[in-house]
Amino acid sequence: MVILLETSYNRKKKIDNTIVKIDVCDIDKSQIIRTLTDTDVPDFSDYRRGSVKSPNKKGSDSVDDRRAFTYFMVGTSIATGSYAAKALVLQYVKYMAASKEVLALAKIEIKLSEIPEGKSVTLKWRGKPLFVRHRTQEEIDVVRSVDITTLRDPQRDEDRTQKPEWLIVIGVCTHLGCVPMAGLGDFGGYYCPCHGSHFDASGRARKGPAPANLEVPPYSFPSDNTLLVG
Ligand code: FES
């Protein structure tokens, strides 16, 4: 026996009939009931992979295909994430690195022939004043004859200079950080007017509140006429 179930909606729309088998208590199970439904089912075929479109195929038949897709997606995500992380780290490192301007000032090269004997020049090095003094033989003799046991910061001039005629020190007073003046003071070296500290021609603290000698920066002489500080 065949039963045709219709609704007013389906009669109007005339959609395809669907043949299904159902259990109905007063109908034999072998009977076929033809029914029309009111439900419009969207077609997702365009979005489904070809290997899973057929309802007659087992899931295990397409497992390799689906796994390959999953691995591809995971691998692509990891690669993209790694690239983004690398770009972020590089950007941060570049941001934190010293600028070219700062690097250029990390070392300075000075032509010694431009500093006459008996003169002290003031340069800028890493944001601080740098004193380069071309000492006379008389100045050298005086600072090397000092009894270092009488100094508040005992240091031999020989240990503060690489060449006797050249004194290289940072021009920052060791008291409170003022910039001393060259060629002044009781010892012919440097004088800090802020609180009256006196330094000799070796940059050693001799009088006033400065507790330590002027600092000697790292330097070298790449050639007879060149001084490299830094
Ligand atoms: S800062 Fe130079 S004496 Fe005080």
Side-chain angles (χ1 to χ4, degrees):
M1 177 183 178
V2 175
I3 300 172
L4 178 61
L5 300 176
E6 287 186 316
T7 68
S8 58
Y9 175 79
N10 287 326
R11 272 196 298 275
K12 286 177 193 165
K13 287 205 66 169
K14 298 293 181 192
I15 63 171
D16 290 339
N17 293 344
T18 304
I19 299 174
V20 295
K21 288 182 179 179
I22 61 170
D23 287 331
V24 181
C25 58
D26 57 347
I27 299 174
D28 191 287
K29 286 184 180 177
S30 63
Q31 292 175 327
I32 298 172
I33 298 176
R34 180 182 301 261
T35 183
L36 298 173
T37 71
D38 286 336
T39 309
D40 272 332
V41 179
D43 183 6
F44 292 108
S45 301
D46 290 342
Y47 304 99
R48 299 175 67 190
R49 267 179 252 138
S51 59
V52 298
K53 273 184 180 172
S54 171
N56 299 321
K57 280 192 176 177
K58 292 181 185 172
S60 57
D61 293 345
S62 61
V63 69
D64 289 340
D65 181 42
R66 286 183 285 116
R67 266 193 196 143
F69 178 76
T70 304
Y71 292 157
F72 171 76
M73 290 304 292
V74 171
T76 306
S77 302
I78 290 174
T80 308
S82 304
Y83 184 79
K86 179 188 159 198
L88 195 67
V89 169
L90 281 179
Q91 195 176 17
Y92 180 74
V93 168
K94 275 185 194 169
Y95 174 74
M96 294 302 289
S99 68
K100 285 182 183 170
E101 191 182 15
V102 171
L103 288 175
L105 291 174
K107 286 178 184 275
I108 57 168
E109 197 174 281
I110 300 141
K111 293 277 171 261
L112 295 175
S113 58
E114 294 173 5
I115 306 172
E117 194 178 55
K119 293 287 179 189
S120 176
V121 297
T122 304
L123 304 161
K124 191 177 176 186
W125 176 69
R126 294 185 185 174
K128 297 176 186 171
L130 177 79
F131 295 155
V132 180
R133 187 186 189 104
H134 191 174
R135 302 190 297 191
T136 61
Q137 188 58 51
E138 186 187 347
E139 287 175 326
I140 297 167
D141 292 342
V142 168
V143 294
R144 294 201 167 185
S145 63
V146 172
D147 177 7
I148 63 167
T149 59
T150 63
L151 301 176
R152 68 184 62 168
D153 184 9
Q155 235 184 344
R156 294 166 65 232
D157 180 70
E158 290 87 337
D159 298 332
R160 292 175 54 79
T161 54
Q162 293 182 22
K163 289 186 176 182
E165 65 271 36
W166 293 106
L167 173 73
I168 294 97
V169 288
I170 293 175
V172 175
C173 179
T174 53
H175 180 220
L176 292 177
C178 287
V179 179
M181 299 162 73
L184 297 177
D186 294 353
F187 299 87
Y190 299 91
Y191 172 67
C192 181
C194 290
H195 310 95
S197 288
H198 299 250
F199 301 87
D200 64 17
S202 186
R204 295 176 298 198
R206 301 292 296 273
K207 190 175 167 188
N213 303 332
L214 296 180
E215 183 185 346
V216 177
Y219 68 90
S220 61
F221 295 98
S223 70
D224 284 349
N225 189 34
T226 311
L227 167 67
L228 187 68
V229 179

